[in-house]
Structures are given as structure tokens and as C-alpha cells.
Amino acid sequence: MKRIVFLSVLASAIFTLTAKAQTIIPDGYTATHSDSSWNIMLNYYIDDIPGDKQLEMQCCICCADTCIMDTTRCFQGKKFRKKAARTNGYMPVTSRLGMQRCTLVIPESMVGDSIMSITTYTLTDNDGIITETDSSYIYLPAVSPLSCHRVNDTESNADRISYRHRCILPMAYYEPLTINSIPPYSESRYAVNFRPANYLLENSYMQNSTLIDTLANLIAAMTADSLAQIEVVQLVGYTAPNEKQQGLGMKRATSLRDKLKYYCNLPDSVFEVLDGGRNWELIYESMSGSNIAGGDSMVTILRAEKSPARRETLISGNLSNDMLRKLGENALNSHRQACCARIYYRNTPDTIAPKLNRIVNELATNETPDYAAMLDELQQYSDDARALNLMGVIEYRRHKRGAAKKAFTEAAMMGDEQAMTNLMIISR
């Protein structure tokens, strides 16, 4: 939809004031966006002013909170200038005749559905002073087409995220966390690291800060709409082969739980924590991928043993000090971990989707939608990525690119793909 801005121009109506006035011809305009502002430049031509006339004009754009004025311009005929010089003792400043350009800069935050711009012009001659105003339409450039598809009211944001993460599952697939049913470590890489024989989770240690933020953002994105609710978060703590402290894995899992409770505001009842003991997948991977003598044979023996307790006996009895040293040089750091193994969620009725779809339909079919009312309604759901994307589309249609970019950025950080696309379009 094109936005109409009422911008005044000097038009032929002025000639009803005097038959001797010369023609003033509007010669087009340009509207460009730059640095969160709209620059509107109006071109018009001023022909010779009759000798006994003076013409003054001023452009003014009135927004909701303020008025933006251009400098008053004065055009005088030769006789008028001489008379004014004799009367006042000086020669008045007169604008150059010919092509004139009036540029008005409008902050995009002031651009709304109705912007009134008025040009006031005053004609002075021997018969007195006559003041008139005039206006005409200007259209800001049409905006780029942005993505605001209908919302799927049966699919949650958690559903969409689960397609990309094997560790995220609906509650229909829930399995209690036990030592015999630990999910494969390869399904989740959301694991924080600990110092040797320590269970204090330090943000500054290795990549912990980034991992915690990533996991917290993932959980926040899953609950960004009203359709998904986190039901269970399963955490497993692991120890390295050279760590003998009992219960260390459980303490590490509990430390990760406490961090996520703080970052994600989740209750204790959501978490299941477990001491996973040795992370056998990583041990096998480390031994097979290293230059440890007999490593591959040892992996074959350990894999064949189903009992974790028996594997503990085998590894402690067969790993020599030299083997442990070489293993430590390669990968023991990655064994001292607590891992988010599984996240289970449940979908609830999506009460927001019908409201969002109604706004999408309105934007698609109504040439003059009530943008202000739409934004007021969407503001209630500002923690929903889909609503934020729609807010960005509306702000962009209102030619408020700064506000649109902010909304798209927030929605994109929540994982909304439409917002990511829209952000690339307006950033070109």
C-alpha cells in the first residue's frame, strides 16, 4: 500500500490573487530514506516576479508531536526592492529565481498514516497583503514484499526446533532417565565442562558461558509461543577414567540444573538428574582415535561387556599409567562433563494463532488496515516470535525501518525463519 503524505506546493491558485503574477510550475519530487529519516525534496520553478510584487513562502510538515519548517523564502520584483530600500535603508535579501528545491527531513518515528505538510505563501503589493496555503499528494516509495504467512495453529515452535535437534522430543516419546536408558551422547552436544575432581560449574572455564547461553536460548525459543510447554529436562553428569570420587557425576548434573533453573526460570519438578559415571561413548572414541597401543583391542573388549560395573573393573585393571597419560593428553577434558541429554515438551492449544492469522488476512486483503490497532494487539504477545515478525512487517509498511529491524532481529534470535528472511531483505 502506498502511503500518502500531504506536502504543499506552490500551485496556480496563487494566480487568483493577481492577474499579473508569473507562472510557478511544480516540477516533481523525490523521497529517499537515510539514517532512520525520510528526506523529501520538492522541486518547483519560480519565474520573474512583477516589479511591484513580493512573494514569501514557507513549507511546514506537521507531525503528531511537532512541526518541521523550512526557511522562509522571499522573491521580490525590481520596483519592490527599490521601494523597500528607500523605505528601510537597506536592500532586502531575495532568493534567486529559477529552479528551487525545498528539502524536509522527517524522522521515521514520526511517519504515520497521516502527515500534513502545508506551504504558506504571502503576496504583497500596493493593494495590501494576501496569505494563502496550498497542498498536494506525495507517495513514499513502495516497500519490499515481506514474509508474513499464515500461522500453523497445530505446529508449535518446539515442533519446528525438534526437527533440527534429536535431543528434543514430544512427551509421547518420554522415557524415564535411568542408568540403563541413558540417551546416546551423540544426540546432544550441549555439555559443559568441569575442572579435574571438581563439580563447580564455572562460566569462564573452557566454552561453558557460550554453551549455557546457547542451551538457555534454545529452551526459551521452545516456549516462545503459547503452544509448547517444557515438561522434562534430563541431565547426566559424567566423570573421567582417572577420577575416583564417588557421586561426582551427580554433583555435576546438579550444578548444570541449578544454572538452567536460574537462566530459564524452570521449576525443580521439571528436571531429572543422573550420575552417568564414565561416558563410555567418549572413552571409546578417545581410545580408538588416539595412538594408544592396544586401544582398538581394549575398545572391542569394553564394548562386548554389558555390565557398567564390570567395564569399570576392566578399564581400571587394564589402563596402564602410560595409557592414562596419553588418553589424558588427548581427551580427558571432554569426559569431565554434565550433559543435557533430552528435553521433552507438551503442546497445548494455541490461542494466539487465530489472532495472528486474522491480522495476516487483514494485511493481505485490506488496502487501508488500521496499523495502530494491529500493533496494540500484537504488543500483548511480544514474547512470541511470530507476533514479533508481524510487528516488523507492519512497522516496515509504515516506513519505520528502525522499528521493523528491531522486531525482526528479536524474532530471528528466537529462531523464526520468516523474520530471518525479512531481516535480510531490509538490510540490503
Side-chain angles (χ1 to χ4, degrees), residues 18-78:
T18 171
K20 296 181 179 180
Q22 299 298 303
T23 303
I24 301 172
I25 304 174
D27 194 34
Y29 62 87
T30 58
T32 58
H33 185 273
S34 175
D35 297 328
S36 299
S37 298
W38 283 97
N39 304 318
I40 299 178
M41 183 173 69
L42 177 69
N43 302 321
Y44 51 89
Y45 189 83
I46 304 294
D47 205 345
D48 291 338
I49 302 297
D52 57 350
K53 312 292 183 187
Q54 172 178 275
L55 177 67
E56 293 182 353
M57 65 170 237
Q58 184 179 55
C59 284
C60 171
I61 292 183
C62 293
C63 305
D65 301 319
T66 187
C67 288
I68 302 170
M69 296 185 179
D70 187 37
T71 304
T72 300
R73 305 186 187 206
C74 179
F75 308 92
Q76 297 172 321
K78 185 174 181 181

Side-chain angles (χ1 to χ4, degrees), residues 306-320:
K306 302 301 182 183
S307 168
R310 178 63 180 157
R311 283 199 299 266
E312 290 282 351
T313 302
L314 286 170
I315 197 170
S316 60
N318 288 275
L319 281 182
S320 64

Side-chain angles (χ1 to χ4, degrees), residues 147-157 160 221 223-228 348-357 359-360 378 381-394 407-408 410-412 414-419 422:
S147 178
C148 56
H149 303 153
R150 285 181 55 82
V151 176
N152 187 331
D153 55 9
T154 61
E155 181 182 63
S156 71
N157 203 39
R160 293 185 287 275
T223 57
D225 60 52
S226 62
L227 198 59
T348 56
D350 189 350
T351 58
I352 298 178
K355 300 173 184 179
L356 299 183
N357 286 333
I359 292 177
V360 171
L378 290 171
Y381 317 114
S382 58
D383 58 347
D384 187 300
R386 304 166 303 174
L388 280 170
N389 180 65
L390 274 178
M391 291 170 69
V393 171
I394 292 171
F408 289 142
E410 292 182 16
M414 294 180 184
D416 190 276
E417 294 182 0
Q418 290 188 35
N422 291 336

Side-chain angles (χ1 to χ4, degrees), residues 41 65 70 86 105 162 166 184 192 203 274 303 341 354:
M41 183 173 69
D65 301 319
D70 187 37
R86 290 195 302 269
V105 180
S162 70
R166 296 175 63 189
V192 292
N203 284 18
L274 180 73
R303 284 188 182 278

Side-chain angles (χ1 to χ4, degrees), residues 40 57 97 108 111 122 174 258 284 310 314 352 373 408 425:
I40 299 178
M57 65 170 237
L97 299 178
E108 65 178 27
V111 175
T122 301
Y174 170 71
D258 293 342
Y284 300 153
R310 178 63 180 157
L314 286 170
I352 298 178
F408 289 142
I425 291 174

Side-chain angles (χ1 to χ4, degrees), residues 229-250:
Q229 178 178 336
I230 301 293
E231 292 287 333
V232 179
V233 177
Q234 295 179 337
L235 308 176
V236 183
Y238 295 105
T239 56
N242 61 343
E243 290 180 313
K244 305 302 181 183
Q245 185 177 341
Q246 292 294 320
L248 193 56
M250 176 62 79

